[in-house]
Amino acid sequence: MTVTEPSITAPTSPGPEPGRVVSVHVSPDHGFSKPPVDRIVLVEGVGVEGDAHAGVTVQHRSRVAVDPSQPNLRQVHLIQAELFDELRAAGHDVGPGDLGENVTTRGLDLLALPVGARLAVGGAVVTVTGLRNPCQQINDFRPGLLKQVLRRRDDGEVERLTGVMGIVSRGGTVRPGDTVDVELPASPHLPLTRV
């Protein structure tokens, strides 16, 4: 991951190696999982071309029921592959695309990013808007999985581990193997909350 403060100049201090895209997924249906494909096309302001959740206004069924005119802050869903490693170690057979993400990454701590972080990947840019809020559908997919991805820390705060959501700020094609570079927003950085 290359970390830079927003500016026209080069980064002030280089970060670790960039993250990588492990796999990409798309589905025209409002199902839970998404099958892998060899590439996805991100459309600026809309989301993943051909995906059920693409749109300028919200497309997730639970959110449409509340207010179909609200902006779609969940155009692209990204999950870190390290979560699947942890889930397998806990006895859950879950892999890329199973939890409905569009982009699976490795080597990038998505959950530690602030609101407004920009992910440059495959010529596209995704601006992170918040955390995915895991719901009961995860238990329907794999019984007992929800408590593995939605936990309460010792300090009482809820941890949501099922990746981040974002909007497409610049369109482009994303493929497995692409690097993911991070540009942080201006300080102060706001922690991610559910969207």
Side-chain angles (χ1 to χ4, degrees), residues 86-144:
E86 292 175 27
L87 294 175
R88 276 192 290 279
H92 296 278
D93 182 23
V94 181
D98 284 347
L99 299 184
E101 78 275 13
N102 301 111
V103 181
T104 310
T105 65
R106 185 170 289 281
L108 175 61
D109 188 354
L110 294 170
L111 303 177
L113 295 172
V115 172
R118 291 169 56 90
L119 308 177
V121 55
V125 174
V126 175
T127 301
V128 177
T129 56
L131 296 169
R132 177 187 178 193
N133 190 35
C135 65
Q136 180 57 38
Q137 285 183 317
I138 289 179
N139 267 349
D140 297 341
F141 175 69
R142 295 278 192 280

Side-chain angles (χ1 to χ4, degrees), residues 4-55:
T4 59
E5 291 296 324
S7 69
I8 309 172
T9 60
T12 54
S13 63
E17 290 296 312
R20 295 251 176 223
V21 174
V22 173
S23 59
V24 293
H25 313 91
V26 65
S27 175
D29 303 317
H30 280 279
F32 187 72
S33 299
K34 295 182 190 284
V37 293
D38 63 348
R39 66 180 176 83
I40 57 174
V41 176
L42 301 185
V43 179
E44 186 173 327
V46 175
V48 181
E49 184 176 82
D51 194 80
H53 297 112

Side-chain angles (χ1 to χ4, degrees), residues 10 46 55 75 83 118 151 156 161 189:
V46 175
Q75 294 174 358
L83 173 64
R118 291 169 56 90
R151 303 182 226 176
L161 305 176
H189 292 161

